[in-house]
Every structure is written in structure tokens, then in C-alpha cells.
Amino acid sequence: MKTKSTTFKIGFLLIALFLNFGKFYSQTNNGGVGINTSSPNSNSVLDVVSGNNNKGILIPRLTETQRNAIAINKPKDDGLTIYNTTEDCFNYWSFIDDEWKSVCGQLGKSVFTVDCSASKAMGAYVKGKELTNSNYLSISVNVTKVGNYTISGTTTNGYNFYGTGVFLNTGTQTVQVLGQGTPQNIQTDTVDLTANGIDVTCTPPISITVLSPSGVYTMSCGSATVNGVYKVGTALTASNTITLPVNVSALGSYTVTTNTVDGISFSASGTFTATGNQNITLSGTGTPTSTSVKTLTITSDSQGGVSTTCSVNVIVVIPKKTVLHIGYETAYGYSAYTGPSRSLMDSPTNFGTTASSIVKYEGFNHISLGNSPSSAALQTALNNKPDIVIIGYNYTPNTTDAGYIASYLNKKGVVIALTDDTGSAQNLLRGIYSDPTISASYGGGAGSVYALSNNDDPILNGPFGDVRGKNWGEDASTTVNVAGLTSGFVPYSYAQPINSATARTGISGLRNSSLNFIWFGDGGFLSNENANGSQYPSITIEPFVAPGSGGYFPVQKSTYGSAGNGYAAGSMQVQNSILFANMIAWAIKQAEFSGINTQ
């Protein structure tokens, strides 16, 4: 009891002193109280005036932990106010929302840490050149409490960085802190970081090299090389670069950048130390968002009125496709499910994710229906929507089968058909073209050689070689030719062999101009019994060559063809494997961008 009485007296004395020194005046009008004023605002119960206009008012200052320890009487404490020193802002208790609110914003101040190792300065910095939107700090942060943030970066060289915003989610994320100002001196600057008013120490610190004014140079974009592998959803690394040849005529700095396309961009900056021809390496950043070929515009800061823009293409790896094979599963590779033709498809030299792969592609899922599937089995397999179908010797589709294949093609499926049976070819082409007048007949025999057209076409002139005006070779059986087609196709070869004097008419190879369909009239188009893919010694059979010693890369068969029409036996060259590799490259592209599973 004695302790309580003493405490009461001391408290009473403090209140009396506060009233005396603060010049409190109780007003009869509405009970208003004024501090340092004899006329408090009539609408206020407390009117505080700074006598010399040099003081403020302090309310209780609590950490967030201390604030949360208050035992809230919900209906009576509505509007209770404190200053939260943790978030550096006023808070009040809201009865309606049943929580503490911040007047700095609904979310209050965020809590986060900076990952210095993943933070860096972006853009080029040149003496006397004002910063633009391309000059910013890319700051990686780990947010543990959502809310407002302020990040700044300062230098002593005429430019700084400042950014503010709101973190709506916790976790790792990246913030762009824009720069402003103009670098004054050529030097390397250290950026001093502050996050929500707290200094951030990075070891090593974020540094920026300020360059001299730009030199004069021209770019050779036609000789630019895109390096590395690009995959959707995979961030670019140090291996993802563009090597750009330039010719420097006047020394100075350089800044070369690209626009951002589908999430990726490239840039380089530095100072030329010599004139003449040399290379600039542009480093990539970002993550590809699609498999489309990205045409990037390269822009330089070269002075002197030279061209400062050009373009380069970046190819992104295409995801795996499912291939349905129909035909004999033998060592000859008739349907590409076995043999050297399968090895060609599975070789990362040809179709892979390495920087040196001809086609940037993740590979195939292979499925086989064998040589003679039932119509029901075919329908089921096609309804499962394989990306690509390859047909080889000696599958013989009937009219029902042809209808299923035509329906699959009309749904944007991809079919490569290599057949040498007249009935099969007739059924297939009649079904696809909806034309009952199309007919098929037998033509040249084993060792027949057919001239390829000069059309600029992705099969005749593709990533594995330009075979326009060259030849393909018939295997051991007899070529099938079709007649009655008047439109809707790109001819690859006609019925007349170059090594035969017997007159023949029709088409022996074609691509449908509106559907994803290729046909050649030889079921043994891919034939080669050598497991290693090397050239088979016969000059009239097995025209396919893709040596394992070269990564199963397709090459021509150098000695082929039966004698006739002025040609000696084995004096011709045929390009079956190159044609097939180009077909597969085309099929992959069609399946990805215009296929049955294209979204």
C-alpha cells in the first residue's frame, strides 16, 4: 500500500509540472486543451503549438515485437496509435480489420536481405553521357515480409540510383533500381547500397567502369556468331554470347546492345585499344520464354555517321517430339526405327543440345507400330497425337488407313512417307488430296537415279546441305510414280531416271504445299545394312550413308547408279541421307510451330 501511495504522489506531481511548464489551458468550450496556446482549436480536444517553430511531438515508440505484446481491448482500443521503430512508421489499431495498420501504406515497410553475389550494374556508363533507362542496378533480394521498399545506390562521380516500390510476395526476386545523372570522370566507381535506410555492405562491392567517349567502328553482323545453348525456362549463363566482328577506325569506348526479345538480350562495353578488325563479345542475360527464333537488333554507339544497327538470329532448343514409325524393324532402317537412319536421328551431332549440334533439339521419343498394324491400331496410335509419323517399306495402307492418315494430317500432324507399292501410294495420295483420279505406276528399278528440282525449299536446301539440282537413288525394288496431281504440291523429282532412256511420266517425290506431308516413291529410301552407317559397296542398292565415325552426319553416296542413258555404272552420286536429315529438321520445326500439339 505504501508503494502505491508514493507512486500516485509522484505521478500527480509530474502532471502538475507538465501542466505548468506546458502552459495548459482548460477551455469551457468543448473542454479543449492547448499547449503553448491560449486559444486551442475549437474542433480539437488537444492543440499543440511549437512556440519557436522548432519542435515536434513524440508519441510512444515501440518495436514491432513490443507493439504485438500489447494486450488489445478490441472495441475500446480502436485507433490506438504508436510509432513502430521496426518499420519506421506510425501504426494504429483497427477494430474493423482486427489488426495493426501502417500509415506508410496498407502493407507497411518490407523486410528483405540483398544477395550481393547476384546483384550487378546494367548498361554502359560513358563520361559525359547522361544515364538512360538502360542504366540500372539489378538487385537480387530475399523478401521475408511483404511491404514497401526503398533501395538507393550512390557514387561520387555524378550519378546515382534510386528505386522504391512494394513487395507483394516473399521469396527471392529481382529489383531494377534506375540510375540518373551523368558520369563526370573516366574511372571505376564503387556503388554504396542502402536498403530501407540501412547500409548494405557487399564484398566485393558492386562496381561500375566509366568509359571514355565512343570511338568510330562498323559492325559485321553477317559474320556474327551466336554461342551457347538456349532453352525455354533456363537462364542464360556466361556461355551464352554473341561474337561480333567490328572494324575500328578511331579509338574510344564502345557500347553495343540488343533489344529484348522473348526474355533475352545481349550487351557489351569497353574501350578499343587498337584500330582495325577485331571481335566484340556480347554477354547474354535473361531467360527464353518461347522456342521461336529470336531476331535481335544490335545497336552500337559508334560515332562518325556509320551504320549503327543490324540484326542476328538466336535459335532456342526445341523440346522432344514423339515419332511414330510404321514399317519393317530391320537393320536396313526402312522406317528409321532401326539402323543408320535411327542413329542419324539420335545423334547429338545432328539433333542435340550441344553448342555444335546442327539442329538445337532435345531428341525423340520413338514408338513403332511395326510393319502391318491393323486399322484399329493405326487409328488409336494417331489419336494419341504423335508429333511425327515416318512410313517405310513395306507398310501398305488400305483406303481406311489412308483416311486415318489424312485426318491426322488435317489436324496438323506431320508425315514422311517412303513407299514403293502402287496400291499403297494411290490410296495414300487419293486420301490426302481427296482426289480419286490420282493414279500410281511402277517406274525405274534398282539403281535408278532421279534428278532433284531446283526449288528453294527447306528439304532441298536445309541445315544438312543444299541438294538442289543433285540426285536421289532408288534402292533394290522399283520406284513408284504418281500421276493426276495438278496443284497443291512442291515437286522434288519426276518419274524419269537420269540413267534410263525409257520414257516415264509422273512424280516420284513431293511435298504437300498446305499439309505437313512429304512423299517419295521408294520404300528403301533409307536402306543401309551397315550398322556403322558407312557406304555399302553395292552401286544399285542401299543408297543411304551416314558414317558413325562422323557422328552419323549425313553425306552423299559417292558411287551409285546402274548404267544407262550415257551414264556408266556407279558414276553418279545420290543424296538420300542428306534429304532425310533435312526432312527431319523440317518435321521438328513444323511439329513445334505448326503441328498437331502446337498450343
PDB file of all heavy atoms in Angstrom, residues 246-257:
ATOM      1  N   VAL A 246      34.053  -6.404 -85.674  1.00  0.00           N
ATOM      2  CA  VAL A 246      33.958  -4.965 -85.927  1.00  0.00           C
ATOM      3  C   VAL A 246      35.248  -4.481 -86.579  1.00  0.00           C
ATOM      4  O   VAL A 246      36.298  -5.116 -86.477  1.00  0.00           O
ATOM      5  CB  VAL A 246      33.717  -4.167 -84.625  1.00  0.00           C
ATOM      6  CG1 VAL A 246      32.383  -4.544 -83.999  1.00  0.00           C
ATOM      7  CG2 VAL A 246      34.854  -4.379 -83.628  1.00  0.00           C
ATOM      8  N   ASN A 247      35.145  -3.337 -87.231  1.00  0.00           N
ATOM      9  CA  ASN A 247      36.321  -2.683 -87.832  1.00  0.00           C
ATOM     10  C   ASN A 247      36.417  -1.290 -87.231  1.00  0.00           C
ATOM     11  O   ASN A 247      35.533  -0.445 -87.445  1.00  0.00           O
ATOM     12  CB  ASN A 247      36.184  -2.603 -89.350  1.00  0.00           C
ATOM     13  CG  ASN A 247      37.463  -2.114 -90.007  1.00  0.00           C
ATOM     14  OD1 ASN A 247      38.402  -1.698 -89.343  1.00  0.00           O
ATOM     15  ND2 ASN A 247      37.495  -2.152 -91.318  1.00  0.00           N
ATOM     16  N   VAL A 248      37.472  -1.039 -86.440  1.00  0.00           N
ATOM     17  CA  VAL A 248      37.625   0.201 -85.697  1.00  0.00           C
ATOM     18  C   VAL A 248      38.494   1.172 -86.496  1.00  0.00           C
ATOM     19  O   VAL A 248      39.614   0.840 -86.888  1.00  0.00           O
ATOM     20  CB  VAL A 248      38.265  -0.073 -84.318  1.00  0.00           C
ATOM     21  CG1 VAL A 248      38.413   1.227 -83.533  1.00  0.00           C
ATOM     22  CG2 VAL A 248      37.444  -1.094 -83.552  1.00  0.00           C
ATOM     23  N   SER A 249      37.964   2.380 -86.710  1.00  0.00           N
ATOM     24  CA  SER A 249      38.730   3.399 -87.435  1.00  0.00           C
ATOM     25  C   SER A 249      39.203   4.531 -86.535  1.00  0.00           C
ATOM     26  O   SER A 249      40.104   5.282 -86.903  1.00  0.00           O
ATOM     27  CB  SER A 249      37.892   3.971 -88.588  1.00  0.00           C
ATOM     28  OG  SER A 249      36.674   4.491 -88.120  1.00  0.00           O
ATOM     29  N   ALA A 250      38.585   4.684 -85.344  1.00  0.00           N
ATOM     30  CA  ALA A 250      39.023   5.705 -84.394  1.00  0.00           C
ATOM     31  C   ALA A 250      38.827   5.170 -82.985  1.00  0.00           C
ATOM     32  O   ALA A 250      37.778   4.608 -82.659  1.00  0.00           O
ATOM     33  CB  ALA A 250      38.237   6.998 -84.595  1.00  0.00           C
ATOM     34  N   LEU A 251      39.863   5.343 -82.147  1.00  0.00           N
ATOM     35  CA  LEU A 251      39.815   4.796 -80.798  1.00  0.00           C
ATOM     36  C   LEU A 251      38.779   5.495 -79.931  1.00  0.00           C
ATOM     37  O   LEU A 251      38.381   6.618 -80.194  1.00  0.00           O
ATOM     38  CB  LEU A 251      41.191   4.899 -80.143  1.00  0.00           C
ATOM     39  CG  LEU A 251      42.332   4.105 -80.794  1.00  0.00           C
ATOM     40  CD1 LEU A 251      43.622   4.303 -80.011  1.00  0.00           C
ATOM     41  CD2 LEU A 251      41.971   2.629 -80.881  1.00  0.00           C
ATOM     42  N   GLY A 252      38.382   4.822 -78.879  1.00  0.00           N
ATOM     43  CA  GLY A 252      37.383   5.326 -77.945  1.00  0.00           C
ATOM     44  C   GLY A 252      36.663   4.153 -77.310  1.00  0.00           C
ATOM     45  O   GLY A 252      37.033   2.987 -77.492  1.00  0.00           O
ATOM     46  N   SER A 253      35.629   4.448 -76.568  1.00  0.00           N
ATOM     47  CA  SER A 253      34.862   3.372 -75.932  1.00  0.00           C
ATOM     48  C   SER A 253      33.839   2.815 -76.909  1.00  0.00           C
ATOM     49  O   SER A 253      33.615   3.353 -77.994  1.00  0.00           O
ATOM     50  CB  SER A 253      34.157   3.909 -74.690  1.00  0.00           C
ATOM     51  OG  SER A 253      33.142   4.821 -75.058  1.00  0.00           O
ATOM     52  N   TYR A 254      33.211   1.711 -76.524  1.00  0.00           N
ATOM     53  CA  TYR A 254      32.123   1.154 -77.313  1.00  0.00           C
ATOM     54  C   TYR A 254      31.045   0.619 -76.384  1.00  0.00           C
ATOM     55  O   TYR A 254      31.322   0.152 -75.286  1.00  0.00           O
ATOM     56  CB  TYR A 254      32.609   0.036 -78.241  1.00  0.00           C
ATOM     57  CG  TYR A 254      33.160  -1.184 -77.531  1.00  0.00           C
ATOM     58  CD1 TYR A 254      32.322  -2.204 -77.072  1.00  0.00           C
ATOM     59  CD2 TYR A 254      34.534  -1.317 -77.303  1.00  0.00           C
ATOM     60  CE1 TYR A 254      32.828  -3.316 -76.417  1.00  0.00           C
ATOM     61  CE2 TYR A 254      35.056  -2.429 -76.648  1.00  0.00           C
ATOM     62  CZ  TYR A 254      34.189  -3.424 -76.214  1.00  0.00           C
ATOM     63  OH  TYR A 254      34.693  -4.520 -75.553  1.00  0.00           O
ATOM     64  N   THR A 255      29.836   0.764 -76.828  1.00  0.00           N
ATOM     65  CA  THR A 255      28.678   0.170 -76.148  1.00  0.00           C
ATOM     66  C   THR A 255      27.809  -0.448 -77.224  1.00  0.00           C
ATOM     67  O   THR A 255      27.336   0.247 -78.126  1.00  0.00           O
ATOM     68  CB  THR A 255      27.874   1.222 -75.368  1.00  0.00           C
ATOM     69  OG1 THR A 255      28.705   1.814 -74.366  1.00  0.00           O
ATOM     70  CG2 THR A 255      26.660   0.578 -74.705  1.00  0.00           C
ATOM     71  N   VAL A 256      27.626  -1.757 -77.142  1.00  0.00           N
ATOM     72  CA  VAL A 256      26.821  -2.483 -78.119  1.00  0.00           C
ATOM     73  C   VAL A 256      25.742  -3.239 -77.354  1.00  0.00           C
ATOM     74  O   VAL A 256      26.040  -3.980 -76.415  1.00  0.00           O
ATOM     75  CB  VAL A 256      27.671  -3.468 -78.950  1.00  0.00           C
ATOM     76  CG1 VAL A 256      26.816  -4.177 -79.990  1.00  0.00           C
ATOM     77  CG2 VAL A 256      28.811  -2.730 -79.637  1.00  0.00           C
ATOM     78  N   THR A 257      24.491  -3.047 -77.734  1.00  0.00           N
ATOM     79  CA  THR A 257      23.384  -3.684 -77.040  1.00  0.00           C
ATOM     80  C   THR A 257      22.383  -4.254 -78.035  1.00  0.00           C
ATOM     81  O   THR A 257      22.391  -3.904 -79.215  1.00  0.00           O
ATOM     82  CB  THR A 257      22.643  -2.679 -76.136  1.00  0.00           C
ATOM     83  OG1 THR A 257      22.126  -1.609 -76.949  1.00  0.00           O
ATOM     84  CG2 THR A 257      23.558  -2.108 -75.077  1.00  0.00           C
TER      85      THR A 257
END
